[in-house]
Amino acid sequence: MSISSAAGSEAGSEDFEDRATFTARVRAWFEANAPRRGSAEDFSAVHVVSGQTVEEFNEREEHAVEVTRNWQRKLYEAGLASPSWPTECGGQGAPEWADEVVLAEQSRWGVSTKMFAVGLEMAPAVLFGHGSAEQRAHYLPPIVRGEQTWCQLLSEPGAGSDLANVQTRATPVEGGWSVSGQKVWTSHAGGAEYALLIARTGTREEGRKGLSCFALRMTQPGIDIRPLRQMSGGYHFNEVFIDGAFIPEIGLIGGLGDGWLVLRTMLASERAAIGGGTGARSSTQLIGLVRRLGLQDDEGVREIVAAAVIRERTLDFTRFRIAAGHRVAAAGSVTKLLYSEHARLSSEAAMTVLGLAGTVADDPESAPWIERLLFAPGLRLGGGTDEIQRNTIAERGLGLPR
């Protein structure tokens, strides 16, 4: 069940304005409040941050979070933040299509909420799919108002893609749970107020049956966040050491031992979010690079650009089919795989177009593409490797044997 359909099933939308009226209102509001793409105020790619030191990276990431927070607050105050959510969760009780209208319009402007993707896309999928009404009313309003950011605490040093082998443990204590363990490859952990945590509540021998899902407050004693330097020079990922952190009873999402079921919802949402990203329009930016370099008449370059455009349109049309309700087998894995491949191939294409200039890290034309090239392997790992996506498509989507 999608986030919007889960929310819409709880909210009456009979009195909401018709689609044409709402669409016109949304377009007029964006026209008056959103920066245009390519303008000085454009922050559609603000979630792609880098830096040569931890301090520089943290400063840029803090700025990105603040810009996104301000924009999310403006959306909320205008009644355009997740409008299909029930009113008690911070929404407007609107029909499902209202979310689609807002997202489609937002993709046309120089704005992005991808810094808050875990809170706005993955946490709601988990809470609408597995949480209680009390949990949704407790956790969702601060997210939709832009007051809280979330991250995910999934992978561990001894359990990367093998999440059934997670060993971080949650032990019952008075009033809730005490958690200890280590997580790794956590995006944006330093700026997150909460995390979706998968921890072991049963024995190791129980495997996936011994896992549970929790909402963990990150801003408390017992949590040590250590940035991991990437080959791009950035610190997008982090190690998180947990030593006796407390989770109240309301923080257990789903039943005890239902963590694997919740995790499947979370990962499907993450893959769909990655594959549904509109912030990085690689082919559009590649065309701009080619024109600035005066290579638009070069037949080899035109062939490279055409391939990028075809990949991007294929991804777009697949996403449109999913949004329109057409069945796409293993949709999240399909779009995630298409997106990670597109990002890799487009950054490689840019290096071909740049030639020797692509080796100069501080050149204004080459620097963004070098960073994308170096970050591309991370896109192919995060949310499950490309190999895992292909297995998921084959087994769950097409019904092929393991």
Side-chain angles (χ1 to χ4, degrees), residues 182-203:
Q182 180 185 356
K183 297 291 182 176
V184 73
W185 308 123
T186 301
S187 302
H188 307 306
E193 283 86 15
Y194 274 87
L196 288 169
L197 167 74
I198 295 295
R200 185 159 297 284
T201 50
T203 65

Side-chain angles (χ1 to χ4, degrees), residues 141-390:
I143 292 175
V144 80
R145 292 194 298 262
E147 296 170 0
Q148 292 179 354
T149 64
W150 287 56
C151 64
Q152 294 172 293
L153 295 176
L154 305 181
S155 296
E156 299 183 0
S161 296
D162 180 19
L163 293 176
N165 198 34
V166 160
Q167 297 306 311
T168 292
R169 177 162 291 279
T171 304
V173 296
E174 184 178 356
W177 305 81
S178 176
V179 182
S180 295
Q182 180 185 356
K183 297 291 182 176
V184 73
W185 308 123
T186 301
S187 302
H188 307 306
E193 283 86 15
Y194 274 87
L196 288 169
L197 167 74
I198 295 295
R200 185 159 297 284
T201 50
T203 65
R204 182 167 187 166
E205 289 70 29
E206 289 179 289
R208 64 183 62 178
K209 295 181 180 179
L211 301 176
S212 299
C213 179
F214 298 90
L216 171 68
R217 183 168 59 85
M218 296 288 286
T219 54
Q220 63 170 301
I223 296 179
D224 180 19
I225 301 169
R226 304 179 189 177
L228 293 170
R229 186 179 180 90
Q230 298 156 235
M231 61 182 175
S232 66
Y235 296 85
H236 180 86
F237 301 109
N238 302 268
E239 293 179 289
V240 180
F241 296 84
I242 310 169
D243 184 12
F246 178 70
I247 299 175
E249 291 178 356
I250 195 175
L252 174 64
I253 303 173
L256 189 65
D258 287 341
W260 188 259
L261 180 64
V262 180
L263 178 62
R264 287 182 61 177
T265 298
M266 195 189 313
L267 290 177
S269 174
E270 179 182 24
R271 290 161 186 170
I274 294 173
T278 57
R281 309 301 298 173
S282 298
S283 70
T284 304
Q285 294 160 357
L286 193 58
I287 291 170
L289 173 66
V290 168
R291 286 175 174 165
R292 287 192 298 274
L293 297 177
L295 298 175
Q296 59 267 33
D297 295 325
D298 184 295
E299 290 188 9
V301 170
R302 292 175 67 87
E303 185 175 334
I304 290 173
V305 172
V309 171
I310 292 170
R311 287 195 306 270
E312 194 163 285
R313 294 297 181 271
T314 300
L315 177 58
D316 284 343
F317 286 130
T318 302
R319 290 175 46 242
F320 293 154
R321 289 187 64 217
I322 295 169
H326 296 284
R327 184 181 181 276
V328 176
S333 290
V334 169
T335 55
K336 196 272 180 182
L337 182 62
L338 285 171
Y339 180 78
S340 62
E341 281 288 282
H342 177 47
R344 176 181 67 85
L345 293 171
S346 294
S347 59
E348 291 177 358
M351 292 297 105
T352 300
V353 171
L354 285 163
L356 288 176
T359 64
V360 184
D362 58 355
D363 181 87
E365 288 287 7
S366 62
W369 290 105
I370 291 174
E371 182 175 345
R372 289 189 187 190
L373 180 71
L374 296 177
F375 189 70
L379 287 174
R380 302 177 69 192
L381 298 173
T385 65
D386 286 359
E387 290 76 15
I388 286 177
Q389 308 310 326
R390 290 188 171 95

